[in-house]
């Protein structure tokens, strides 16, 4: 039930009860008052509109007579069904076809689309400890924690920052204090903050291909984007010196989409470049560092950063669940000061309740257990997909780099990428052209990205079989 | 327990077990591994670092001998207490004195500060239905809703937008479709989006005094801010025509801090101005419209907007709880298109779980009940404060406008604002100078803001008594 704000004309043209009656009728007809919705009591509406109660009585009476509303004993007046369903459906239909510019939502069920979708963004939620999450949430909301409903610290609550700080150090070798951590609702938001910190019109270097979302965000900042070619070690640093670049955006532990892992030598080159200029910085996006399957752990680039040149960004959306809108940014102390001057007054975008839940989830060891579990699951899928792709070895070069949630297939032959995507689609398999991630001229050979996070082993088998029919 | 990322040197200078031993010792000494924390089992660490298990055994043995760790039967190895407490305290102290630039957190208990704090931002959480919120949260997290953990729509989930749309229409007369609503984590974030939509270097008009936070945000956008004087009807529109203004930011239903309510005539003037230019818009910040105590409900400015010139912004942080980081923005269709082009790819900053909880809270009628309850509570405080301020009537002009969570006292005499704040402080009462909200030259007379949301009646009585001693 809602208040009804009615602008009553007192010029006497129409009597008040008629105006109220017509307003409510219109509300119902136009689907703003939905069927089953309770109307205000005549008394409260009369008080609210400051008219005589009898006026509202007459209006309601009229609506009753005409069947727009019904009276339920002891409960009050309710809106009748009418064509409400139709109206609602219409609304829903409108919303369910978002304009093509809007990203498609990842919650389609296989049945709907009949697709084997090798999306590199999909993750496996089957292993998520919903029960634990629910339990922690329940405990977090017990009456002892009412202060959680009050405003928190702009950078995020200290306890969570301490936990993240220690997690990053032990798992990624990141060196920082909780004071350097900014908690925010997603990487996109943190990058928006970063614009305020780094300033406008910054010339920024990105690998080609790269993470398209970050590219579009930097574009929306009107940053001048210098695209840098890659070799097998990642970004070629020579161009950084040639061009007037101030910031370089890299994914050293697992570049998207190529999967390249940046060796220590190249990392040192990058740090040397950054060290060569007062205002030069490196943005390290450590987006899926949690999922490495073979070989020794590779620390973050930030771990080798001795001159405070690395801005480290990571998220829990990939390792826990996309709905967990919590990302973190580690700022070099110099930028931290600028953050406090420029953005210190922005309130934190993550509710303290969610921060506490996440903090408990990590502190109690559930996060680590979950990561180990998912690492096993993804390692198995990774291996399975590699096996299933053996038949393709003749015509495709397969690169996976023992990490992450996707592989890259590069055609040795002359097929075009569009051709590969189309023929796969005909077999109801969705693969993603590497050119989706291109931010400059093509790479020559056709290549496609195969993500396996969202598919179960059966789907991986079936999907690759179909790809075989399509491509071999 | 955490992974330990150790960069092992294999140049033979130091044997592996020594390197592991020294790394862990350093971690403990420097407080990164806290007392009571469990170390990885020798087997898993050996696997992880790809060294012989005996190597890790020797390292752990050494740490045991030196008392850095202890072995607990069947449980594993744990870090010993040491000076851990000291270390942690140090961290905490560091964090508890945030740099002065950081806004102070609103969670101080009265005891700590011995203050009667008439903060205009504080709200009364005593009436919040924690139990209901907890119940809804619990139901929301039941296993049927696992899809809530997946990525949602960038504008916010349709169900919530539909609910907000209908709430805004019925309670504020706002006319819009759910497609026009953007859900975001707080007003600050929505304004950041708005910059991307409206573009850079926009000349924007603000009243003087105004809501300082918005002012600072527009400043950080490098917007040219044109400050406009107010009369008793609010912003004087003449200046909008004179200056090269494109956007005007107003709070028509209850201006902060003056409490002015903009009459329909002035609203029409504003809309006429906005209608006079293709790219002119009005930002309506309806920040505390829920709390009106007397007279008929006043619809939002957007309700009278026939040419799609009003950008309507509101939040649930004030009406429900500061921790509920959910705000909404209603965009004119023309700007909606620009939003989809410029920002359509930004992921929503509010988790779907929180969106669903809020949606249930509103749909089930709890929000309305909560609002009515709070309206009663605040109305009583508002009346009480007015009564307690009667003795001040001789020396101060009191303006309250029957709405909102604060009153304004304007000195008739020659006292300076600083004087008023200081003398109040000496009596342990915190009042807020109106000049905190000034964005241009002063208003002549000294004035202070008295917020009553966060104080109970006893505190209001005591606080005003002390003010009497201080000022009269």
């Amino acid at each position: 039930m809602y208040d009804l704000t009615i602008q009553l004309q007192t010029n006497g043209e129409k009597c008040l009860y008629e105006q109220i009656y017509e307003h409510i009728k219109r509300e119902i007809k136009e689907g703003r008052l939905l069927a089953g919705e309770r109307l205000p009591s005549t008394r409260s509406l009369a008080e609210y509109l400051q008219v005589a109660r009898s006026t509202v009585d007459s209006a309601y009476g009229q609506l009753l007579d005409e069947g727009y509303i019904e009276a339920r004993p002891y409960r009050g007046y309710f809106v009748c069904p009418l064509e409400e369903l139709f109206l609602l459906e219409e609304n829903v239909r409108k919303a369910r076809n978002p304009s093509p510019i809007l990203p498609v939502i990842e919650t389609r069920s296989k049945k709907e689309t009949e697709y084997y979708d090798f999306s590199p963004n999909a993750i496996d939620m089957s292993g998520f400890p919903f029960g634990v999450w629910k339990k922690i949430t329940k405990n977090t909301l017990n009456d002892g924690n009412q202060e959680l409903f009050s405003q928190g610290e702009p950078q995020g609550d200290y306890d969570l920052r301490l936990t993240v700080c220690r997690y990053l150090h032990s798992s990624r070798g990141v060196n920082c204090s909780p004071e350097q951590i900014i908690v925010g609702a997603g990487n996109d938001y943190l990058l928006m903050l970063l614009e305020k910190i780094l300033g406008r019109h910054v010339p920024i270097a990105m690998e080609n291909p790269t993470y398209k979302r970050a590219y579009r965000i930097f574009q929306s900042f009107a940053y001048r984007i210098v695209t840098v070619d890659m070799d097998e070690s990642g970004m070629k640093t020579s161009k950084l010196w040639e061009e007037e670049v101030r910031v370089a955006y890299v994914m050293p532990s697992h570049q998207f989409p190529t999967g390249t892992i940046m060796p220590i030598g190249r990392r040192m080159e990058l740090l040397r470049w950054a060290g060569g200029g007062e205002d030069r910085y490196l943005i390290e996006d450590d987006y899926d560092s949690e999922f490495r399957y073979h070989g020794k752990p590779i620390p973050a680039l930030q771990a080798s950063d001795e001159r405070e040149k690395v801005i480290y960004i990571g998220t829990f959306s990939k390792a826990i669940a996309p709905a967990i809108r919590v990302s973190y940014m580690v700022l070099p102390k110099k930028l931290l000061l600028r953050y406090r001057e420029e953005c210190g007054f922005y309130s934190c975008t993550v509710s303290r309740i969610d921060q506490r839940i996440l903090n408990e989830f990590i502190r109690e060891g559930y996060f680590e257990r979950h990561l180990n579990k998912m690492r096993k699951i993804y390692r198995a899928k990774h291996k399975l997909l590699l096996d299933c792709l053996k038949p393709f070895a003749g015509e495709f070069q397969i690169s996976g780099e023992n990490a992450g949630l996707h592989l890259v297939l590069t055609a040795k032959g002359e097929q075009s990428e569009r051709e590969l995507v189309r023929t796969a689609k005909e077999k109801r398999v969705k693969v993603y052209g590497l050119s989706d991630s291109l931010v400059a001229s093509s790479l020559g050979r056709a290549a496609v990205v195969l993500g396996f996070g969202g598919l179960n082993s059966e789907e991986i088998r079936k999907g690759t079989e179909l790809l075989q029919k399509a491509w071999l």
Side-chain angles (χ1 to χ4, degrees), chain A:
Chain A
M1 167 189 131
Y2 292 119
D3 297 343
L4 289 164
T5 301
I6 308 177
Q7 285 162 279
L8 296 171
Q9 316 298 340
T10 48
N11 52 19
E13 259 180 25
K14 259 190 194 150
C15 62
L16 292 173
Y17 103 81
E18 228 178 302
Q19 295 182 45
I20 298 170
Y21 152 77
E22 275 173 357
H23 178 88
I24 296 177
K25 191 167 81 177
R26 198 168 47 249
E27 296 294 283
I28 296 173
K29 277 186 156 171
E30 294 174 4
R32 297 199 199 88
L33 275 170
L34 296 188
E37 189 147 14
R38 186 149 135 260
L39 293 178
S41 71
T42 53
R43 204 179 81 270
S44 63
L45 185 57
E47 241 169 45
Y48 185 62
L49 297 174
Q50 312 220 313
V51 300
R53 185 167 176 182
S54 58
T55 310
V56 180
D57 282 330
S58 335
Y60 278 23
Q62 186 72 23
L63 292 162
L64 274 168
D65 297 342
E66 299 183 16
Y68 284 101
I69 64 176
E70 60 187 353
R72 298 183 195 163
Y74 309 113
R75 304 234 12 241
Y77 296 92
F78 292 79
V79 177
C80 294
L82 302 181
E83 67 284 67
E84 163 257 344
L85 279 172
F86 157 74
L87 278 167
L88 199 60
E89 268 175 357
E90 192 174 58
N91 279 334
V92 175
R93 212 177 308 112
K94 263 201 246 112
R96 293 300 174 235
N97 321 330
S99 98
I101 307 137
L102 293 178
V104 184
I105 317 147
E106 295 257 332
T107 48
R108 300 184 260 76
S109 88
K110 293 282 170 298
K111 271 155 224 55
E112 270 177 45
T113 61
E114 284 199 335
Y115 252 14
Y116 296 91
D117 187 345
F118 284 89
S119 164
N121 304 319
I123 72 170
D124 187 337
M125 287 298 292
S126 67
F128 183 75
F130 292 99
V132 168
W133 195 266
K134 195 172 171 181
K135 193 193 79 194
I136 296 177
T137 305
K138 193 157 161 295
N139 299 340
T140 303
L141 285 179
N142 70 33
D143 304 350
N145 292 334
Q146 300 195 352
E147 93 283 355
L148 283 183
F149 285 85
S150 62
Q151 178 86 303
E153 300 172 51
Q155 283 183 237
D157 283 357
Y158 184 79
D159 297 346
L160 177 60
R161 284 186 283 133
L162 178 61
T163 303
V164 168
C165 172
R166 293 175 47 237
Y167 163 67
L168 288 179
H169 180 76
S170 55
S171 71
R172 309 287 305 126
V174 169
N175 298 307
C176 68
S177 73
E179 288 71 19
Q180 290 171 268
I181 294 181
I182 320 285
V183 171
N187 289 19
D188 300 359
Y189 172 72
L190 290 176
L191 290 177
M192 285 169 96
L193 272 185
L194 206 48
E195 179 197 19
K196 307 268 170 253
I197 299 168
L198 292 173
R200 315 184 159 283
H201 310 298
V202 173
I204 184 167
M206 299 187 84
E207 291 147 327
N208 180 42
T210 188
Y211 184 45
K212 200 59 165 282
R213 169 182 290 276
Y215 176 79
R216 294 188 64 184
I217 291 174
F218 293 136
Q219 266 187 323
S220 78
F221 294 168
Y223 276 10
R224 183 169 71 85
I225 300 173
V226 178
T227 54
V228 182
D229 293 337
M230 302 176 63
D231 57 23
E232 65 294 336
S233 306
M235 180 180 270
K236 293 183 186 169
T237 50
S238 54
K239 195 165 181 185
L240 297 179
W241 292 95
E242 295 154 18
E243 302 256 353
E244 269 306 307
V245 173
R246 249 196 61 200
V247 176
Y249 170 90
V250 288
M251 296 163 273
S253 58
H254 189 239
Q255 205 268 355
F256 188 88
T258 62
T260 306
I261 293 174
M262 193 180 284
I264 187 68
R266 182 61 53 90
R267 292 169 182 233
M268 286 308 155
E269 282 179 37
L270 275 177
L271 289 167
R272 211 171 301 119
W273 167 79
E278 175 70 0
D279 262 4
R280 289 183 185 169
Y281 290 101
L282 300 164
I283 301 175
E284 173 176 28
D285 184 344
D286 212 14
Y287 74 104
D288 71 355
S289 55
E290 297 85 2
F291 303 119
R292 174 159 178 79
Y293 311 123
H294 305 291
K296 302 198 177 198
I298 297 174
L301 173 62
Q302 202 267 9
S304 327
D305 174 26
E306 275 154 13
R307 300 166 70 168
E308 303 236 22
K309 285 300 187 177
V310 175
I311 301 158
Y312 179 89
I313 294 182
T315 178
F316 290 107
S317 303
K318 199 136 189 150
I320 298 183
I324 309 306
R325 309 300 303 149
V326 183
S327 295
Y328 41 85
M329 173 163 68
V330 179
L331 290 176
K333 296 201 182 60
K334 190 176 155 197
L335 291 182
L336 183 63
L337 293 177
R338 227 184 283 168
Y339 158 82
R340 291 186 169 174
E341 286 157 20
E342 302 297 328
C343 316
F345 57 89
Y346 283 99
S347 355
C348 185
T349 43
V350 184
S351 96
R352 301 186 69 195
I353 300 158
D354 296 352
Q355 290 186 58
R356 173 75 65 99
I357 294 168
L358 178 58
N359 189 39
E360 291 308 306
F361 189 70
I362 304 173
R363 288 300 300 256
E364 295 300 318
Y366 296 112
F367 181 49
E368 196 217 359
R369 250 171 274 164
H370 176 59
L371 277 186
N372 291 332
K373 182 177 178 187
M374 294 316 295
R375 219 177 265 129
K376 274 202 198 67
I377 293 176
Y378 287 139
R379 177 186 286 123
K381 290 187 181 186
H382 183 265
K383 185 178 177 317
L384 172 64
L385 180 54
L386 279 172
D387 294 345
C388 296
L389 290 177
K390 286 219 175 84
F392 296 72
E395 325 224 341
F396 294 89
Q397 188 210 326
I398 297 157
S399 37
E401 306 295 348
N402 308 329
L405 302 182
H406 71 273
L407 296 173
V408 178
L409 262 65
T410 310
K412 298 177 180 171
E414 287 314 311
Q415 307 105 302
S416 75
E417 177 190 293
R418 184 180 288 103
E419 194 63 8
L420 292 171
V421 174
R422 190 183 57 72
T423 49
K425 188 155 184 282
E426 285 169 1
K427 296 269 182 270
R428 306 200 332 283
V429 181
K430 187 162 189 187
V431 298
Y432 295 77
L434 198 74
S435 65
D436 298 351
S437 307
L438 282 179
V439 292
S441 57
S442 151
L443 308 164
R445 297 219 168 283
V448 292
V449 176
L450 264 60
F452 52 83
L455 301 175
N456 61 37
S457 26
E458 185 44 41
E459 291 165 330
I460 291 176
R461 270 195 212 85
K462 195 85 188 66
T464 45
E465 274 169 31
L466 291 166
L467 283 180
Q468 227 172 318
K469 292 203 184 80
W471 295 345
L472 304 182

